[in-house]
Amino acid sequence: MAQSIDEIQNEIIEEFALLDGDPEMTNFYIIELGQKLPPLEEAKKSEENIVKGCQSKVWLVPSLEESKMNFEADSNSAITKGLVSLLVRVFQDQAPNDIVDADLFFIDKIGMNRFIGTQRSNGFAAMIKQIKLAALVNKERQAIAKSDPK
Amino acid sequence: MSTENTVVSTTQLDIDQIRSDFPILHQEVNGRPLVYLDNAATTQKPQVVIDALTHYYQQDNANIHRGVHTLAERATAVFEETRQAIHQFINSNEPEEIVFTKGTTDGINLVAATFGRTNLKEGDEIIISGMEHHSNIVPWQMLCEEKGAKLKVIPVNERGEVELEEYKKLLSARTKLVSVVYVSNSLGTINPVKEIIDLAHAQGAAVLIDGAQSTAYLDIDVQALNCDFYIFSGHKVFGPTGVGALYGKRRLLEKMPPYQGGGEMIRSVSFEKTTYNDIPYKFEAGTPNIADVVALKAAIDYINQLGKPAMRAYEEELLAYAHQRLSEVSGLRMIGTAEKKMNVVSFVFDDIFHFDVGQMLDARGIAVRTGHHCTEPLMAHFGLEGTVRASFAMYNKKEEIDQLVEGLQRIVKMMGK
């Protein structure tokens, strides 16, 4: 049984608790998480996949595979890549409906705004918005497909 | 590397004593002692400046120039003392050539809106350099758009110096104004402003010097420079934010129309006809930022007391040390290696994003600036989105540069691929 969005969030909260709020270790940990993201094909680093509103470049490629969402992501900033990797981890293989309804309590719990600053917080919010929007589009598509089975 | 002005050979400053004058420096950030290396953005304030602000509000606060009561007299006197101090600080011909502004940006906009609107017509040209910050680009673009004039840009070479030969080619009888920065905020380059001014004058053009980064350390003599306008901000000379000064030659200021309408800038007002006050009051509509103007004098006194030659000598030492130590960091590439430069080191890593460097240094209590430093065209010239910039003041220590280098080496190691 795959983990739920909330279960993954709780896992992340536990991991960050081990860092004890040390800003330097937290940054390096976030970078490490980003380094684990599978590389994104150069062709997908296109203008349309860029998340608007980030100071650094962030590419986010959502798709729907067998009724679950799949996300690929990359960034030219190692820290931003780490941040987007957290979102990918939370939302990978989840149903569009669950993503739309998800409450991202882990952001406050790990004290993210404290160590990433206002500019990055805004960029992070833009990433979440783009993910939720992609999920919403797919949720609507699924609803249409259900009501109109041809 | 050498600065424009004379440099004394040995450091005469007691840096520990100076540091004790700046209360903000004695704090921890993210569990470590603060290392403040963002002085090109704003400088910290000595206790005497903070005290001057407090003293003004506790003892003298009143509106200036019109009241006849004791406090109004006192407030007016200390306000005007600052004008006198600036007049001496930059050696204007007379105090009336000093106009108080909100800062450098406000001063440039004032000149664009008054001198610019009156003197430019379609087909005229304004020349700026390729290393200007946005405040010395956008007001001129706006003016050019309004007047149908043209903005020309002096190219910058790979070391981050203006190309004087190209500048000569841009100058013509159509040039009405040249506006250049004395010291680049992104690269630290000291521009040959005297030559720039003389060449412009030979073509009959006026010259504005943006002195935001130069005023704290270089000896400024606006009469010797013979610039037509010189502008600086209080907050970059260890004074308060929200206040600055515009120097303009009397004959130019007198011919310029007022900038804003309101109190103080008028001689008499009737619904039929308003006559304007003399300079500089003509350009100082409304109640000014009195307390901060008053405290700015404390900052100028503080600099005068330390002595600019001694400040420059120490600042040179810091810069040379920073260049030497930073060259030890693997993968670090310096941007801006002008022969004449001061107090700024700008650098990039090819495989580490500048924001990441800034954020990771902050985690160690080190404050640097990252990004385009409001000089997007200059960054584009170097093919960069931005740099990491460390900028120094006379309260910085070599140990702080060591901490910066240590922090950078740790980042490089941790992010090594």
Side-chain angles (χ1 to χ4, degrees), chain A residues 3-10 12 71 83-94 99 102-104 106-107 124 131:
Chain A
Q3 284 178 295
S4 73
I5 288 176
D6 286 0
E7 281 166 350
I8 300 167
Q9 291 196 79
N10 282 322
I12 293 171
F71 296 96
L83 293 175
V84 75
S85 83
L86 283 172
L87 294 176
V88 169
R89 179 169 158 198
V90 169
F91 292 126
Q92 198 71 290
D93 294 326
Q94 302 293 341
I99 296 175
D103 165 30
L104 291 179
F106 85 99
I107 299 169
F124 193 63
I131 287 175

Side-chain angles (χ1 to χ4, degrees), chain B residues 268-282:
Chain B
S268 78
V269 177
S270 72
F271 288 118
E272 290 72 39
K273 171 83 182 158
T274 290
T275 53
Y276 303 125
N277 206 338
D278 296 327
I279 65 162
Y281 309 108
K282 184 171 77 173

Side-chain angles (χ1 to χ4, degrees), chain A residues 24 27 55 77-78 120, chain B residues 355-356 359 364 410 414-415:
Chain A
E24 192 179 29
N27 276 324
Q55 293 264 357
S77 149
R120 276 211 153 97
Chain B
F355 271 174
D356 293 350
Q359 190 171 326
R364 296 171 74 84
R410 188 165 156 82
M414 296 296 279
M415 298 194 53

Side-chain angles (χ1 to χ4, degrees), chain B residues 278-298:
Chain B
D278 296 327
I279 65 162
Y281 309 108
K282 184 171 77 173
F283 299 107
E284 293 178 356
T287 301
N289 187 356
I290 308 167
D292 290 294
V293 164
V294 169
L296 177 56
K297 178 170 182 293

Side-chain angles (χ1 to χ4, degrees), chain B residues 297-309:
Chain B
K297 178 170 182 293
I300 291 171
D301 291 345
Y302 186 79
I303 292 174
N304 287 337
Q305 192 198 326
L306 293 180
K308 282 188 183 182

Side-chain angles (χ1 to χ4, degrees), chain A residues 109-140:
Chain A
K109 282 273 167 62
I110 65 173
M112 184 178 291
N113 292 346
R114 213 177 46 240
F115 58 76
I116 68 171
T118 332
Q119 287 186 41
R120 276 211 153 97
S121 295
N122 292 340
F124 193 63
M127 293 178 218
I128 294 168
K129 197 171 154 194
Q130 197 138 325
I131 287 175
K132 289 227 175 193
L133 204 62
L136 187 65
V137 168
N138 283 296
K139 179 187 165 182
E140 294 301 317

